[in-house]
């Protein structure tokens, strides 16, 4: 299958969904966004229900211990948890959102640096055939290494779109995301449910298709990335 079939695909994940009713407005944005829903939050199940009705992809946004000691909220995974507790906590969070196709970390700059909790996490995901998106809150994350060890489909975030909410900064980050997609065929951006982000994406997402980019759910990007790698290997084999 030609590599060009999968050129310039972008996945945009909206993190931190579930705390506010206004998060539901993000379901009306155009295109196939992916929504990362916090477990056990006031509107998590309500959001997941409406997302499923609209055939929108959702993933579990599981809180993980951060280096700054910030409060995790319900369902958080911490370094002092033994294996059984971490896996049970993760299992309860997944059970509360049965429509998820994958998981990504909320915070996690501490927890993702350690092999053991990442191994325990990947054991759960492997059994449930879920993928893992590493939000890359630390350059020392072991999440993808452990996901590969356990055969869990995985991928990592490239750009945070809205760390700064001024239009110029949002535009600059989107340009950076598109440049990555142009160079390697795909890119992943993470954004958050801020009103400024919603207003920006309302127009920006409509412009993507006109610029030759395809907005896809994260699972589609993962699947096509594997096909792209297979196609590239076949091309190399033929040249040898």
């Amino acid at each position: 299958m030609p590599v060009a079939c999968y050129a310039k695909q972008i996945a945009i994940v909206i993190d931190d969904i579930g705390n506010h009713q206004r998060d539901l407005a993000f379901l009306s944005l155009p295109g196939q966004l992916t929504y990362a829903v916090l477990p056990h939050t006031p509107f998590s199940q309500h959001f997941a229900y409406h997302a499923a009705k609209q055939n929108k992809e959702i993933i579990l946004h599981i809180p993980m211990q951060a280096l700054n000691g910030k409060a995790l909220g319900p369902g958080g995974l911490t370094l002092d948890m033994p294996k059984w507790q971490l896996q049970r906590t993760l299992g309860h969070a997944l059970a509360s959102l049965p429509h998820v196709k994958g998981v990504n970390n909320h915070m996690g700059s501490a927890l993702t640096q350690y092999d053991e909790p990442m191994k325990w996490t990947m054991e759960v995901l492997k059994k449930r055939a879920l993928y893992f998106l590493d939000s890359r809150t630390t350059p020392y994350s072991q999440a993808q290494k452990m996901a590969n060890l356990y055969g869990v489909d995985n991928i990592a975030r490239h750009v945070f779109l809205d760390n700064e909410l001024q239009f110029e900064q949002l535009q600059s980050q989107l340009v950076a995301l598109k440049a990555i997609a142009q160079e390697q065929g795909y890119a992943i951006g993470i954004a958050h449910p801020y009103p400024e982000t919603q207003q920006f994406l309302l127009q920006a997402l409509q412009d993507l298709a006109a610029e030759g980019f395809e907005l896809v759910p994260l699972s589609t990007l993962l699947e096509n990335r594997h096909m792209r790698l297979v196609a590239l290997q076949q091309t190399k084999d033929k040249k040898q």
Side-chain angles (χ1 to χ4, degrees):
M1 198 167 288
V3 176
C5 286
Y6 310 111
K8 295 169 63 173
Q9 290 189 322
I10 286 177
I12 294 178
V13 181
I14 309 298
D15 269 0
D16 296 353
I17 294 290
N19 280 316
H20 305 286
Q21 188 168 10
R22 65 174 181 265
D23 296 349
L24 286 161
F26 276 74
L27 287 172
S28 64
L29 287 172
Q32 288 295 320
L33 296 170
T34 301
Y35 300 90
V37 182
L38 290 160
H40 317 304
T41 46
F43 295 95
S44 57
Q45 292 183 316
H46 187 60
F47 186 97
Y49 170 77
H50 285 282
K53 282 183 67 175
Q54 296 181 37
N55 200 30
K56 302 282 191 176
E57 183 156 321
I58 64 170
I59 62 178
L60 173 66
H61 194 39
I62 190 71
M64 294 184 179
Q65 186 172 334
L67 289 168
N68 61 12
K70 189 175 178 181
L72 296 179
L77 309 181
T78 59
L79 285 168
D80 61 356
M81 286 181 170
K83 178 178 179 177
W84 68 267
Q85 187 179 11
L86 184 145
Q87 292 189 332
R88 187 176 71 175
T89 303
L90 178 56
H92 285 170
L94 288 167
S96 74
L97 297 166
H99 300 295
V100 300
K101 291 193 173 182
V103 172
N104 77 326
N105 54 296
H106 172 57
M107 301 191 287
S109 53
L111 195 84
T112 60
Q113 292 191 33
Y114 289 87
D115 288 358
E116 286 296 299
M118 289 299 97
K119 287 179 182 178
W120 303 338
T121 298
M122 298 312 160
E123 280 185 7
V124 174
L125 302 194
K126 179 63 176 178
K127 288 177 183 176
R128 296 171 184 251
L130 299 172
Y131 64 75
F132 187 79
L133 166 66
D134 190 347
S135 302
R136 294 292 292 173
T137 55
T138 171
Y140 307 109
S141 173
Q142 302 302 306
Q144 285 192 278
K145 184 176 80 172
M146 293 302 113
N148 289 332
L149 184 66
Y150 281 85
V152 172
D153 275 350
N154 65 90
I155 203 161
R157 181 268 315 166
H158 295 107
V159 174
F160 281 118
L161 291 172
D162 56 359
N163 282 346
E164 301 288 340
L165 292 172
Q166 295 84 359
F167 177 85
E168 293 77 15
Q169 292 298 321
L170 290 164
Q171 186 66 38
S172 175
Q173 292 299 93
L174 184 61
V175 167
L177 187 70
K178 290 189 285 190
I180 294 168
Q182 188 85 46
E183 180 181 344
Q184 65 179 34
Y186 70 95
I188 299 166
I190 288 180
H192 301 84
Y194 305 128
E196 296 90 340
T197 301
Q198 183 189 0
Q199 285 302 309
F200 174 77
L201 290 178
L202 190 60
Q203 183 59 51
L205 296 179
Q206 296 177 63
D207 295 339
L208 284 179
E211 296 168 354
F213 296 94
E214 184 185 6
L215 184 67
V216 297
L218 203 48
S219 59
T220 299
L221 194 153
L222 266 165
E223 179 184 336
N224 290 348
R225 185 187 64 156
H226 291 312
M227 292 182 178
R228 186 187 294 111
L229 291 172
V230 169
L232 284 170
Q233 188 59 50
Q234 289 173 345
T235 301
K236 289 179 183 178
D237 292 344
K238 286 178 182 178
K239 290 179 179 179
Q240 290 177 353

